[in-house]
Structures are given as C-alpha cells and as structure tokens.
Amino acid sequence: MERLLEVKDLAISFRTRAGEVQAIRGVNFHLDKGETLAIVGESGSGKSVTSQAIMKLVPEPQGQYKRGQILFEGQDLIGKTQNQMQKMRGKEIGMIFQDPMTSLNPTMKVGKQITEVLFTHEKISAADARARGLELLKLVGIPNADRRFNQYPHEFSGGMRQRVVIAMALAANPKLLIADEPTTALDVTIQAQILELMKELQAKIGTAIIFITHDLGVVAKMADRVAVMYAGQIVEMGTAEEIFYDPRHPYTWGLLSSMPALDSNGEQKLTAIPGTPPDLLHPPVGDAFALRSNYAMKIDFEKEPPMFKVSDTHFVKSWLLHPEAPTVQPPEAVLRRQRKLSNAYEKPVLVEA
C-alpha cells in the first residue's frame, strides 16, 4: 500500500511552572492510504498530543517540537508555517473532536458552517456549496437535510451534532481523518451508529483514519492496526488481530484485562492496572511501566528497552522479548478473553429475526 503519513522519532515537551513535561518521547509510526490506525492508552499517555502534533495544533511557545519528523506525503509538517498548515487543515487533513459542541458555532446554522469549509478550500458558488452541504448531510445519515440545513446546533441531539461535525470534516475530501475520541460523550447505541457510519464513509471515499481512543471495544470494530501508548511512547504496535490475540507487552495485558467481561456466574469482573502513570516532568529510568508491572526485571529499572520485532507487523518495547528473558504467561484474564474471542470468531452465533 502507498504510504500517506510517517512519524519519525517525534518528541514534544511542554513548559510549565514546575518544569518541562516530556509529553511525547520518541514516537514512531506510519499510516497507509485507506488504512485505519487506532492509538490507544490511558489518559495522559500522549494520544491526543500526538494527534494535535500532526495538525500542528500544539500550542507554542509552551509546547515545543524537540525533534523528529511528521511526513505527510513526503512533506515535513513540522517545518511548515501556521499559514501553510491552515491551508492543509480541512483540505488534506480533517479532524473530529470528542465534544461536537467545541467544533460547532452555536450562533451559526449548521449549513453555513459546512459551506464555510467549502468556501475556504475550494472555488465554489453559493448554489453549489449548498448542494454539496445537503449532499454531505445526507451522506452522514441526517434525515430531512433541507430543513436541518437551516437549523442551529442546539436543535440537534448529541449524535446528530457529531454527524454534522463528521460532515464538516469530510467536506473538502481530506486524505487523512483524525478522530480524537469522537464517541466518548455519546451513549452506546449512538456510539455504535457513529462507528458504523465512519466505516461506511471510509469504504466509500477511501480516507485514511487515525482513531484516538481508550476503548479497546471501539478498536476491535474500527482498526486495521493498533499502536498502544504509555508515558509518551508507543510500547506495542501490531495488527488488530495481533494486539487482541497475541499481545506481548504487560501494559497491553493490563488494558485487555481491564475490559469488562462476564464470568460463568454472570458477574462482571474488572481487573485494574495497579499504580499510576509516571510523572513526565521526571521520566523514569528504564521501562516506564516497570513500577506498575508484575513482570518487571532488574534491567527494567536500569535501561530503556528497544523495540523488539515479533513479526513484520508486530513490535514490542519490552525486555520480556529479549532472547535471554524468562518465559512468562499473560495473566489469566487475558488468556480467558483470548479464548472467548477465539471461540466467538470461530463459531459465530446466528440469531433468527
């Protein structure tokens, strides 16, 4: 597949009164055209900062790009001015934020907000812009588009507002769409509808998607590949199947173990990851997850692990992958979930209407 985006050794810090927070510490990943990459991790792991960095929305001078490259179709976005990026935002790279009300102007009709995107990036008449706006509203599944076009954001439900935001993000046919926790504020029924909508739209227009989330259930539905972030670093990268069926990093085991599951008694069990993420004012020596891991070895507190290759698509930043490391088994919760996922995959249940 053709490479669309490549992030190389990206490091970003924020100046605070307490000192310099090393928010992103040597992040590497790529995205091919038409592909969906999910970036997952706890709050504060660096997911949203990474997405903001791609759009060059990291607030300066407090936020600083310390090193690295963000190559979009071969162009390094870090070297571009804000005026140059303004021309790319929306046209080349679109973004959907978590709360649609932060993206919509409450005093402006939604139709005008959609057509403004078109006027910004294309030479288009008012009549053609209106026609395109109505087409986009229909595309994202908003009924009565002619009437809705002239309504204000407060006249829409949360799910419908998010559909409007998606329409705005797709208005100029961007090659890359970044979705930063776009369904977190929605109930599960609407969340499922929005996720299905995004999959359908991607199939129609071929946009590549970076999906930022803490919800592994969402990842299972959306992603081709998954990057697991912890303390400003990617600690595991692989296909969705590799992350769910063959996770290798203790942090990934912890995330999978913390997903809700029903045991044989019908009771819901959750396994929390012990401790808290490290203070990135003073990043720990060695493996950042060592203090929270039941599998930490002496070297984890002394030396940062490299990224070990499991397969051509699967990479893990953990000393447990070293040839001389002891063999360990994932926690029972992960093994149990793997068995359930495997059974569900091999033996689908058909429900008659």
Side-chain angles (χ1 to χ4, degrees):
M1 295 181 71
E2 190 175 351
R3 188 65 47 85
L4 178 67
L5 177 76
E6 188 165 11
V7 176
K8 296 183 176 182
D9 195 28
L10 181 64
I12 297 173
S13 293
F14 289 92
R15 292 177 178 173
T16 69
R17 291 182 178 180
E20 186 174 317
V21 177
Q22 299 178 41
I24 303 296
R25 305 185 298 136
V27 163
N28 295 275
F29 66 87
H30 72 270
L31 181 71
D32 292 331
K33 291 186 176 180
E35 182 183 32
T36 298
L37 172 70
I39 302 180
V40 303
E42 295 171 289
S43 295
S45 60
K47 310 183 302 297
S48 292
V49 175
T50 299
S51 67
Q52 291 165 9
I54 295 170
M55 296 285 283
K56 207 170 182 187
L57 292 175
V58 174
E60 299 179 277
Q62 292 85 0
Q64 295 184 322
Y65 293 84
K66 305 295 285 190
R67 66 175 189 273
Q69 293 178 300
I70 301 174
L71 301 176
F72 181 79
E73 294 190 317
Q75 303 178 65
D76 189 357
L77 301 184
I78 293 178
K80 290 190 174 295
T81 65
Q82 286 298 325
N83 285 338
Q84 290 173 325
M85 285 302 302
Q86 191 63 33
K87 294 177 181 178
M88 295 186 69
R89 294 181 192 128
K91 184 172 179 62
E92 303 288 343
I93 307 173
M95 192 160 189
I96 304 170
F97 293 96
Q98 178 174 332
D99 182 0
M101 286 306 284
T102 63
S103 303
L104 295 172
N105 185 333
T107 67
M108 188 183 295
K109 294 176 181 179
V110 299
K112 185 174 182 181
Q113 296 189 56
I114 294 172
T115 56
E116 273 200 344
V117 178
L118 297 170
F119 289 136
T120 299
H121 297 292
E122 300 179 18
K123 293 182 178 179
I124 189 171
S125 68
D128 288 342
R130 178 182 171 82
R132 174 63 175 156
L134 290 172
E135 180 186 337
L136 285 163
L137 289 179
K138 293 173 183 175
L139 182 67
V140 298
I142 294 181
N144 304 313
D146 286 294
R147 179 172 62 87
R148 292 295 212 169
F149 189 87
N150 292 310
Q151 290 184 328
Y152 292 93
H154 74 268
E155 298 179 82
F156 289 73
S157 67
M160 285 297 174
R161 283 196 292 264
Q162 195 62 290
R163 288 172 185 262
V164 172
V165 171
I166 293 173
M168 291 173 61
L170 295 175
N173 296 316
K175 298 171 184 175
L176 170 61
L177 183 63
I178 301 173
D180 190 355
E181 309 234 23
T183 60
T184 300
L186 306 176
D187 64 56
V188 273
T189 303
I190 303 302
Q191 180 185 86
Q193 294 174 5
I194 295 296
L195 294 176
E196 190 60 35
L197 169 65
M198 292 184 67
K199 288 173 66 177
E200 290 174 2
L201 293 175
Q202 185 180 35
K204 289 179 182 178
I205 63 181
T207 299
I209 297 175
I210 294 178
F211 207 98
I212 310 292
T213 184
H214 64 275
D215 187 339
L216 285 174
V218 169
V219 171
K221 297 174 185 175
M222 293 292 296
D224 299 310
R225 290 187 302 118
V226 182
V228 181
M229 285 197 75
Y230 183 76
Q233 298 178 324
I234 290 177
V235 297
E236 186 159 7
M237 170 82 76
T239 65
E241 290 79 9
E242 287 167 335
I243 297 300
F244 277 93
Y245 291 94
D246 188 29
R248 298 296 186 93
H249 197 284
Y251 180 60
T252 311
W253 295 346
L255 291 177
L256 289 169
S257 297
S258 65
M259 290 177 66
L262 295 176
D263 66 13
S264 58
N265 298 321
E267 297 176 347
Q268 196 173 47
K269 286 189 173 182
L270 290 175
T271 304
I273 301 174
T276 58
D279 181 358
L280 294 184
L281 276 169
H282 308 286
V285 176
D287 188 333
F289 189 63
L291 286 172
R292 304 176 71 186
S293 175
N294 295 324
Y295 307 89
M297 301 174 288
K298 182 179 178 183
I299 193 172
D300 284 306
F301 298 95
E302 299 173 346
K303 189 175 181 180
E304 182 177 324
M307 193 68 90
F308 290 93
K309 179 179 178 180
V310 179
S311 72
D312 288 341
T313 55
H314 194 182
F315 301 87
V316 183
K317 191 179 180 68
S318 171
W319 286 116
L320 289 176
L321 276 293
H322 192 279
E324 297 180 10
T327 301
V328 299
Q329 286 291 322
E332 177 56 32
V334 172
L335 296 174
R336 184 169 62 246
R337 180 170 293 279
Q338 287 175 330
R339 289 193 293 268
K340 288 183 178 180
L341 287 170
S342 179
N343 290 338
Y345 180 78
E346 294 172 1
K347 300 175 183 178
V349 178
L350 299 180
V351 180
E352 294 184 2

